[in-house]
Amino acid sequence: MKRKDNTLTRVEFQMMSILWDINHAACGRDILGRWSEPKPTYTTIATYLKILYEKGFVDFFKKEGEGKTQWYVAKVTRQQYTRMTMENVKKNFFGGSLKSMFSYFVKEEHLSPEDIEELLNLINDDDHE
């Protein structure tokens, strides 16, 4: 049964980032090969892939003639996950208000006048599309 958890832990996000970067089916050894030091054990990778499958973030299949090797593909894109995460942040921390969320980041990030001008240009360009 699939879990209904739509958030990723730090390690799960790292694993998904590797899958997103590979951008095609990958086995546990492919993921392990791209993992930065210190590398986890292969069984740890396999456990996290199972968790990601149960959460609905990946799917897997076997290729004929390749024994027990399972190949994993991301079911959620990086963009979809970012959108989902930002929607949760907006809802949970800012009462669903994009204006409140935007104001927070403008104040907390101490934007330069150039940054503010760039953001205003983005807003103005978006209004015309």
Side-chain angles (χ1 to χ4, degrees), residues 9 20 26 31 33 43 48 79 86 95 117 127:
T9 66
W20 289 323
I31 294 167
T43 55
Y48 276 107
Q79 183 178 5
M86 294 310 294
E117 184 176 342
D127 285 343

Side-chain angles (χ1 to χ4, degrees), residues 14-15 17-37 39-40 45:
Q14 185 175 359
M15 186 166 294
S17 291
I18 292 170
L19 277 173
W20 289 323
D21 290 344
I22 291 173
N23 201 27
H24 58 76
C27 65
R29 297 226 181 272
D30 295 333
I31 294 167
L32 186 59
R34 290 180 178 233
W35 205 277
S36 58
E37 295 292 339
K39 292 184 185 288
I45 295 288

Side-chain angles (χ1 to χ4, degrees), residues 66-77:
E66 293 210 13
K68 296 180 181 180
T69 301
Q70 293 181 333
W71 295 87
Y72 292 86
V73 291
K75 288 179 62 177
V76 175
T77 66

Side-chain angles (χ1 to χ4, degrees), residues 1-10 12-13 16 48-58 75-76 80-81 84-85 88 92:
M1 180 158 162
K2 300 230 180 188
R3 299 180 192 181
K4 293 295 180 191
D5 188 355
N6 65 355
T7 59
L8 296 171
T9 66
R10 183 184 54 78
E12 291 166 354
F13 183 80
M16 287 301 298
Y48 276 107
L49 284 167
K50 180 180 177 190
I51 291 167
L52 288 169
Y53 171 75
E54 290 172 353
K55 285 183 167 187
F57 283 96
V58 300
K75 288 179 62 177
V76 175
Q80 289 169 324
Y81 184 71
M84 185 172 35
T85 301
N88 285 337
N92 295 328

